[in-house]
Amino acid sequence: MARTVIIESVGGPEVLKIADWPVGDPGRGEVRIAQKACGLNFIDVYQRSGLYKLDMPAALGMEAAGIVEAVGEGVMHLAVGDRVAYASTPPGAYAEARVMPAAQVCRLPDGIGFETGAAAMLKGLTVDYLFNRTTPLKKGDWVLFHAAAGGVGLIACQWARSEGINLIATAGTDAKCQMALDHGASHAINYRIGYFAPRVREITGGRGVDVVMDSVGKDTFDGSLDSLRPFGMMISFGSASGPVPPLNIMTLAAKGSLKITRPTVFNHIADHSTCQEMAGRLFSKILSGAVKIDIGQRFPLDQVADAHRALEARATTGSTVLTL
């Protein structure tokens, strides 16, 4: 048994409960991990609230770091005692220990601590697919990145700087805008003070950006389309402000033959070798110092409801870790 955060029905943070959850031994293709830290992400909120459906009762959490305690048959890339980190389905990372599929579990380099690993995996692998796997990006390109002071955003600002990409950050306060600039954004816009698309056009000399990376959703979607150059790419990868309403596809033609995609990190890491390759790039960025993982908040596991409230209120900066 292990202390695990579960929900028995969808709802607000009050539905989160700590329960003694059975762990057991790993089967074929599985490992058991004694966890040292867990990461917090908006997908956890989507699952808790019912936007993403789960069978009840359900354990929550999609990323963590710890030590391998047991290895099931057929697992070749991990051994007992390995330091590991992961972002992976199924949910269940908010736990002291768990058994899970091994394919997306990655060996954590000695130079990266457990809290950093837990804070980095889902967010860092997201940034990797945004910059390396979704649409071609090259030095000098322009990217508009929303919610740039969050965990994904601060990694993206640094990643862009390391690749010579011009990143225009948006955030909801002047302090958060400054944080994005400090982490490598070329420009920052406080979207609370007015419509951001004209400012994006001004910054880019009227051209618009090559790519928009938008995890906010409903509140920023129209402005994101208006910020793109002809043939630009809209990457909608989250719904922090609510789901995007249905789109008339002719809008993309009218605004310059735009492209749009709605990816998820779990599609990109579904293949074992691809996942390990992506994690390798992320770890290299961290170890080189090009990317620093900012842990803005820490909450004990039994204060997980408070962590969810802070995340939903946009009262967090950087990454949030649940400590064990």
Side-chain angles (χ1 to χ4, degrees), residues 26-31 71-75 77 100-103:
R28 183 174 183 82
E30 295 181 329
V31 292
V71 176
E73 183 181 354
V75 177
H77 70 293
M100 64 178 295

Side-chain angles (χ1 to χ4, degrees), residues 98-182:
R98 71 177 300 196
V99 168
M100 64 178 295
Q104 281 67 48
V105 178
C106 305
R107 293 182 65 183
L108 187 66
D110 290 340
I112 301 177
F114 289 119
E115 288 192 355
T116 297
M121 290 300 288
L122 194 147
K123 303 167 191 68
L125 295 176
T126 295
V127 173
D128 182 81
Y129 85 68
L130 290 172
F131 279 82
N132 292 312
R133 294 176 52 82
T134 306
T135 191
L137 280 171
K138 62 185 184 301
K139 184 177 180 179
D141 282 350
W142 286 91
V143 168
L144 174 63
F145 200 102
H146 293 298
V152 177
L154 292 183
I155 295 172
C157 289
Q158 296 172 84
W159 203 294
R161 178 172 58 190
S162 74
E163 302 286 340
I165 293 167
N166 301 302
L167 186 145
I168 303 173
T170 73
T173 68
D174 290 343
K176 287 184 175 182
C177 286
Q178 186 60 52
M179 184 176 293
L181 292 169
D182 292 343

Side-chain angles (χ1 to χ4, degrees), residues 36-38 65 108 112-120 293 295 298 321-324:
K36 302 298 184 182
C38 316
L108 187 66
I112 301 177
F114 289 119
E115 288 192 355
T116 297
I293 305 300
I295 300 174
R298 292 173 174 82
V321 166
L322 301 176
T323 58
L324 298 167

